[in-house]
Every structure is written in C-alpha cells, then in structure tokens.
Amino acid sequence: GENVEQHPSTLSVQEGDSAVIKCTYSDSASNYFPWYKQELGKRPQLIIDIRSNVGEKKDQRIAVTLNKTAKHFSLHITETQPEDSAVYFCAASYNTNAGKSTFGDGTTLTVKP
Amino acid sequence: DGGITQSPKYLFRKEGQNVTLSCEQNLNHDAMYWYRQDPGQGLRLIYYSQIVNDFQKGDIAEGYSVSREKKESFPLTVTSAQKNPTAFYLCASRTFGQGNYGYTFGSGTRLTVV
C-alpha cells in the first residue's frame, strides 16, 4: 500500500520568514495530493491540493510543488504569520481507489512573532 | 460544524464496554471515512464506505465495526476487542464528482478509556 513520509516533524520560524514542508510517497499510481491544516483542538481543513498533471499550484501565500519522477511534493508558505501556527498534514490518494488518503505524520509549525 | 457532524465531542469508555461514535453529513457526499489520530502520528484509516450498505476495512480495522444504512450516516462502534482505544477519532466525507477530491472533516470525538 501507499506510504507517505513527511519532514520535518517540527518547524519554527520567525514571523515574515518562509516555511517549507516536504513529503514523499511510494505508490506511483497516486494522483492527488492534498494538504490539511489542523489548529489545536480543531478539525483538519483542506488548504491546498495538487493533481499529478500539474507541477505547481499557488494560492496567495501558500504554494505546492510536485515532482512525479522523484515522488515528492512540498508545501511552501511565504510571509508567515502567527496564525499560520498549526499542524500541517500532507496526503496522497488516487481517485480510483475509493479516494482513500494516506497521511504523513504531520509537521508542527510555530511562527514566532 | 458546517456539513459533517460528529457526536459526542468527548466519550469515556469503561473496560469491556462497546461505544458508538456518530457521524452525520448533509453534503450529499458519496464516500465516508473513519480515521484515528494519536499524538505525534498521522491519521490512520479505520474503515471507509463508498456507497450505502457497503464498506471496507482500512489499515487498522481490528476492534472496530461500522454500518452504512443511510448515505448521510456512518457510525463507528469501538468494541471491547480494541485494546487501546484512547484516541481522537475523525470522520470525513468526500464526493466523487469532478473537481475537488479533498476531505471535509467532522470536529472529532475524543475517546478515553477509564
């Protein structure tokens, strides 16, 4: 089955700096890669996603890149703000497999004011 | 809790007791999922269902059971066979239509064995 590894497990940055979180996946059939943000005590929420036919996607301060050959994808947050502090999860899935996602172990991002 | 509701928010289970966690969605989503979240770990799939009256085991199904009698509902029962049930349980749903394939999550149930 699919295996997703996520690094780093914790990340601390100064407000205004950039943050990068990286994930690798094992199943070359995976074609959908979402990222979720989970604030303390709350539900995970989808913040951005990318499909295998796209190399990069951007939404304001966040962007995701995908390298299918190397089977890795990354989340980039620019101009970080204290409200970006949360746990971020990457995931991999393919639509023909019931859409079930395999998640990374999460990255705890702390943005220091 | 816009769209997908889990209850209760907190649940305490005694040794040897079965408990049922509720998950209801009004998003008209086809598929529903149960994940378990432990501290420092990612979300692990317990069970999932693509259509009514059909469901499949995920990676950690032992000690759990589910039903899908209605499209809107996907309850999870934690049985006495689950030896370490203390965790945060998340229910999710998604559509199989075009476009966004991401999950919508419920707000979770925190289960504690007492």
Side-chain angles (χ1 to χ4, degrees):
Chain A
E2 175 68 280
N3 182 51
V4 176
E5 294 190 357
Q6 183 172 347
H7 299 281
S9 57
T10 60
L11 180 59
S12 182
V13 300
Q14 287 295 133
E15 182 176 359
D17 288 350
S18 295
V20 180
I21 303 170
K22 299 181 179 181
C23 290
T24 60
Y25 62 99
S26 61
D27 191 342
S28 57
S30 289
N31 59 6
Y32 177 68
F33 306 92
W35 286 86
Y36 295 87
K37 175 183 180 182
Q38 186 178 29
E39 297 177 12
L40 190 63
K42 295 190 176 181
R43 74 186 81 189
Q45 292 196 304
L46 179 70
I47 56 171
I48 195 168
D49 56 12
I50 191 167
R51 291 174 178 75
S52 58
N53 59 346
V54 175
E56 184 174 358
K57 183 177 179 181
K58 189 173 182 180
D59 182 4
Q60 298 182 21
R61 295 188 297 108
I62 60 173
V64 58
T65 58
L66 171 65
N67 183 326
K68 284 193 298 181
T69 303
K71 296 204 202 93
H72 68 70
F73 56 113
S74 301
L75 177 71
H76 304 254
I77 306 174
T78 59
E79 300 173 20
T80 54
Q81 301 168 4
E83 50 265 39
D84 294 329
S85 296
V87 179
Y88 291 82
F89 292 98
C90 63
S93 68
Y94 48 101
N95 200 37
T96 54
N97 188 25
K100 53 178 183 168
S101 287
T102 300
F103 286 81
D105 284 346
T107 296
T108 301
L109 173 64
T110 302
V111 180
K112 300 177 183 176
Chain B
D1 288 334
I4 183 165
T5 302
Q6 286 187 244
S7 62
K9 189 169 184 176
Y10 299 96
L11 187 57
F12 298 91
R13 193 194 92 167
K14 295 180 180 179
E15 295 284 348
Q17 189 179 45
N18 292 355
V19 292
T20 297
L21 284 59
S22 171
C23 178
E24 304 275 336
Q25 54 99 359
N26 61 4
L27 301 167
N28 199 33
H29 283 175
D30 304 291
M32 298 186 73
Y33 310 81
W34 274 105
Y35 282 87
R36 169 178 171 145
Q37 186 175 26
D38 293 283
Q41 297 189 37
L43 283 65
R44 293 184 289 166
L45 182 63
I46 304 172
Y47 268 98
Y48 62 101
S49 169
Q50 298 181 76
I51 57 173
V52 174
N53 293 324
D54 187 52
F55 48 83
Q56 287 79 40
K57 293 181 179 180
D59 300 318
I60 56 165
E62 185 175 352
Y64 300 97
S65 66
V66 294
S67 63
R68 186 90 186 273
E69 297 177 1
K70 299 186 300 182
K71 187 176 183 178
E72 302 81 15
S73 179
F74 192 41
L76 173 74
T77 296
V78 184
T79 75
S80 56
Q82 171 48 241
K83 298 306 178 189
N84 184 23
T86 295
F88 189 52
Y89 291 86
L90 285 160
C91 179
S93 69
R94 54 156 282 183
T95 182
F96 280 107
Q98 293 293 325
N100 190 346
Y101 301 148
Y103 288 168
T104 299
F105 282 94
S107 55
T109 293
R110 191 166 297 280
L111 174 63
T112 304
V113 173
V114 296

